[in-house]
Amino acid sequence: MPLSKRCLAEFIGTFWLVFGGCGSAVLAAGFIANATKIGNDIAFPLGIGLVGVSLAFGLTVMTMAYAIGHISGCHLNPAVSIGLAVAKRFPSRELFMYIGSQVLGGVAGAGVLAIIASGNPKFNLVTSGFAANGFAEHSPGNYTILACFAAEFVCTFMFLMIILGATDERAPAALAPMAIGLGLTLIHLISIPVTNTSVNPARSLAPALFVGGWAIAQLWLFWVAPILGAVAAGFVYSNVFEVPKPEIERDLSEVRG
């Protein structure tokens, strides 16, 4: 598949991740509908909450893995691309194009989301936070910078371990998107209260560009920690758990009889 088509797939996939994941947080997490009954307004809380947002992020990755996994590998994340390159699953020479496509796709997704959210007169792009990631006073739970760094590092490390394991030639290929999507859901369930969950520099950059100020100032952590976690996972998996191709082929031939 030509690199240009693979990069377009990464653009579309990352667009969907940011639009779907951040969109669920911005538009649906705390949604309340009003109904009039006998002259009184009754509020019905219909928001999807933390669990719904976590599931939305997992679903974006799972659906795109089935849609474009066979085209681009469905990285949708600069940290994933870098981790796969460290594990020798992805050519380093293509990193720049993949990461550029992911960043542009994420920004496009955040841009469309901003247009839709701004259709509500009560919405304020800056004061809402726009699902941006943050630490200290901008952490949802006011977690320290060290706690946020540790959460992003560990969660990205585990995310890459899930990806590398699920896409290993010895693993059942058809189930990989489910494992990866559910893995990302679990990661969000753990870390939304800590950092609003990044584990993806492109996902962090996109809303931060629209919020500006503090979101831009704190953006460095959501590039550095996920990338370091991904590099560590790529190194560990490739050096500890990866099996040379001749051994895989031998094991498969033994299984087949």
Side-chain angles (χ1 to χ4, degrees):
M1 182 71 69
L3 179 59
S4 58
K5 291 186 178 181
R6 287 185 281 130
C7 287
L8 178 59
E10 286 294 304
F11 175 94
I12 293 171
T14 314
F15 173 96
W16 184 234
L17 184 146
V18 171
F19 180 73
C22 294
S24 69
V26 172
L27 303 176
F31 180 72
I32 293 179
N34 292 318
T36 302
K37 184 177 182 181
I38 316 178
N40 296 318
D41 287 338
I42 303 172
F44 293 96
L46 301 175
I48 60 176
L50 183 152
V51 174
V53 174
S54 300
L55 186 59
F57 271 100
L59 286 173
T60 62
V61 169
M62 185 176 72
T63 52
M64 280 296 105
Y66 281 115
I68 66 169
H70 55 289
I71 298 172
S72 69
C74 191
H75 300 184
L76 317 185
N77 182 336
V80 168
S81 295
I82 292 170
L84 292 175
V86 171
K88 298 180 178 60
R89 298 272 194 92
F90 181 72
S92 299
R93 65 181 180 277
E94 295 181 356
L95 275 175
F96 178 79
M97 291 295 292
Y98 258 56
I99 291 173
S101 301
Q102 293 155 2
V103 166
L104 291 175
V107 172
V112 173
L113 177 58
I115 292 171
I116 295 171
S118 298
N120 185 332
K122 296 180 181 179
F123 177 77
N124 185 295
L125 188 62
V126 176
T127 59
S128 70
F130 202 49
N133 302 114
F135 55 82
E137 69 273 20
H138 297 293
S139 156
N142 295 311
Y143 284 83
T144 65
I145 184 173
L146 178 59
C148 292
F149 192 97
E152 288 295 321
F153 179 93
V154 171
C155 285
T156 312
F157 176 91
M158 292 308 302
F159 189 41
L160 262 293
M161 291 296 288
I162 293 167
I163 291 170
L164 289 165
T167 57
D168 194 303
E169 290 184 26
R170 295 163 291 173
L175 298 179
M178 293 181 64
I180 295 167
L182 289 173
L184 188 60
T185 298
L186 175 59
I187 285 168
H188 278 77
L189 288 171
I190 295 167
S191 60
I192 283 179
V194 184
T195 63
N196 228 8
T197 309
S198 170
V199 302
N200 184 337
R203 171 264 183 269
S204 295
L205 174 64
L209 289 177
F210 289 86
V211 175
W214 67 266
I216 296 293
Q218 295 192 353
L219 185 61
W220 65 270
L221 186 145
F222 303 103
W223 277 77
V224 174
I227 288 174
L228 289 178
V231 168
F235 179 82
V236 169
Y237 197 93
S238 62
N239 287 279
V240 177
F241 301 115
E242 198 79 81
V243 175
K245 208 170 251 297
E247 290 187 29
I248 295 176
E249 292 172 352
R250 184 195 65 204
D251 292 342
L252 288 175
S253 64
E254 289 176 356
V255 169
R256 290 167 186 151

